[in-house]
Amino acid sequence: MSQAAATSHLRENPFELATAQLRKVGELFALDPNLIRVLSQCKKAVEVSIPVQMDDGSIEVFLGYRVTHNIARGPSKGGIRYHPDVTLDEVKALAMWMTWKCAVVNLPYGGAKGGVIVDPRSLSDGELERLTRRYASEISIIISPEMDVPAPDLGTDPRVMAWIMDTYSMHHGHSTPGVVTGKPVVIGGSRGRYEATGRGVLFITQEACKRRGIPLEGQTVAIQGFGNVGGVAARLLAQAGARIVAVSDSRGGIYKPEGLDVESLYAHRLAGGQLGEHPGADHNHITNAELLELPVDILIPAALEGQVTELNAGKVQAKMIVEAANGPVTPRADEILSARGIYVVPDIVANAGGVVVSYFEWVQDLQSFFWEESEVNTRLQRIMVNAFNEVSTLAHARSLRLREAAYVVAVQRVVDAITARGIYP
């Protein structure tokens, strides 16, 4: 039995959305159309077949991808996603967004992304390991510390990265910890990496509140997605004084206007429980769609792409949106939100904390010299705050939305790199 190519959960093609964003920036700011055409395409896209022996003895064949968008600024960097709705166009879009994300925080990376069409929750530990190792062996010819460096994403975690690193190392006859980031600390991972994306969301939300002249303390927050990003962000924001009133996972969410016990919910999730099974969920259930329309101060989409669209953007009641997910607001929804005066912090700034600390991990692996978590967090905060302030200053000076300003900074840096290097041959 084989795994068919997925039908996307998105209403719009994500790669078309990503290229439309790029073309708009190119037109608005008169960037070289030849270079915009170059950047509108991915450098490399690999599709692999992944046969896996299941526990019952049958063979299941899964489909996987690894895409490199651009390497003008350095090796490509990007996560690996395990999800039943993965498509090639989604992976291509995520690779392009990674290019801009790395550039806007000024890391020496290009963008890449990987994905496998699978529901990891449906696999046993043994099946998951066999799938991961076969996928790693198939892409091992295109990944390396100098060429393309994977990391965790939706449906993957440090354990999956450990299997990929070990498989790659066995193929090459020596340990190569720098081939992936997001690994366990005991085999070359960085302290603070697991919390990095959520911690970056905290730093950016704090800076956004300062720019808006409002205190973070006491602000009501709804977070769609309670995984590695949303769960960590919820805890850190609550510790900083925000009132988390709604959270959700893939099966739905919980809403309590007076505030949720985030620590209890987080512990419940770490123990393997669903949010809907938590004692505090009684009579407080909402859907993921309903969460997006709650009357809150700050909305943080931290799940999948394409959640706020032209169909529901007019119903969003939040005063600020901080995009912890990749591409959660579609371009047409973005126009509606802007017209309504809703302040949107774009994904390529808001959720860049993960790739920043992945960069730190890569540097530590190459040097075989590791930092304390306090140093990691201090360096992370400095980079995130500097990037946000640079984007915000440009937005204010040129009367741009934050997303437009972020893309100007990012795309211009990549264009400058391509111009300096030239087009081979």
Side-chain angles (χ1 to χ4, degrees), residues 108-123:
Y109 283 142
K113 209 73 177 183
V116 177
I117 304 171
V118 62
D119 181 355
R121 296 170 300 182
S122 70
L123 303 181

Side-chain angles (χ1 to χ4, degrees), residues 70-145:
N70 185 268
I71 58 169
R73 288 173 51 84
S76 54
K77 187 82 184 73
I80 292 173
R81 172 170 295 194
Y82 287 179
H83 193 275
D85 293 343
V86 164
T87 68
L88 178 56
D89 276 347
E90 178 188 38
V91 176
K92 289 167 66 177
L94 292 166
M96 182 182 288
W97 286 326
M98 276 300 301
T99 298
W100 315 139
K101 188 182 303 183
C102 293
V104 80
V105 292
N106 211 15
L107 300 181
Y109 283 142
K113 209 73 177 183
V116 177
I117 304 171
V118 62
D119 181 355
R121 296 170 300 182
S122 70
L123 303 181
S124 69
D125 285 353
E127 290 167 342
L128 183 64
E129 180 175 358
R130 292 192 290 276
L131 176 143
T132 298
R133 288 185 179 274
R134 182 56 185 256
Y135 173 66
S137 70
E138 295 292 345
I139 66 170
S140 63
I141 59 172
I142 60 170
I143 63 173
S144 78

Side-chain angles (χ1 to χ4, degrees), residues 169-225:
S169 296
M170 292 303 101
H171 281 203
H172 287 77
H174 57 86
S175 184
T176 312
V179 71
V180 297
T181 59
K183 305 177 296 296
V185 171
V186 293
I187 55 170
S190 175
R191 291 175 174 84
R193 173 61 184 87
Y194 179 82
E195 301 86 0
T197 308
R199 191 176 299 278
V201 171
L202 167 69
F203 293 149
I204 292 300
T205 305
Q206 289 174 324
E207 292 304 307
C209 285
K210 289 178 186 176
R211 284 274 172 171
R212 304 294 285 176
I214 58 176
L216 175 59
E217 187 172 357
Q219 297 293 305
T220 56
V221 181
I223 302 177
Q224 187 199 48

Side-chain angles (χ1 to χ4, degrees), residues 338-356:
S338 177
R340 296 182 58 217
I342 297 173
Y343 189 77
V344 179
V345 184
D347 49 1
I348 64 171
V349 177
N351 67 22
V355 74
V356 171

Side-chain angles (χ1 to χ4, degrees), residues 22-98:
L22 173 62
R23 286 194 300 270
K24 182 177 179 182
V25 171
E27 292 167 1
L28 279 174
F29 301 99
L31 299 177
D32 186 342
N34 290 313
L35 296 182
I36 295 299
R37 281 195 290 274
V38 171
L39 291 169
S40 294
Q41 300 297 323
C42 291
K43 175 180 174 61
K44 184 187 305 177
V46 175
E47 178 179 303
V48 297
S49 172
I50 311 167
V52 178
Q53 184 169 15
M54 310 304 281
D55 291 344
D56 63 4
S58 65
I59 301 293
E60 185 82 27
V61 183
F62 298 89
L63 193 62
Y65 307 103
R66 186 67 184 175
V67 173
T68 296
H69 172 247
N70 185 268
I71 58 169
R73 288 173 51 84
S76 54
K77 187 82 184 73
I80 292 173
R81 172 170 295 194
Y82 287 179
H83 193 275
D85 293 343
V86 164
T87 68
L88 178 56
D89 276 347
E90 178 188 38
V91 176
K92 289 167 66 177
L94 292 166
M96 182 182 288
W97 286 326
M98 276 300 301

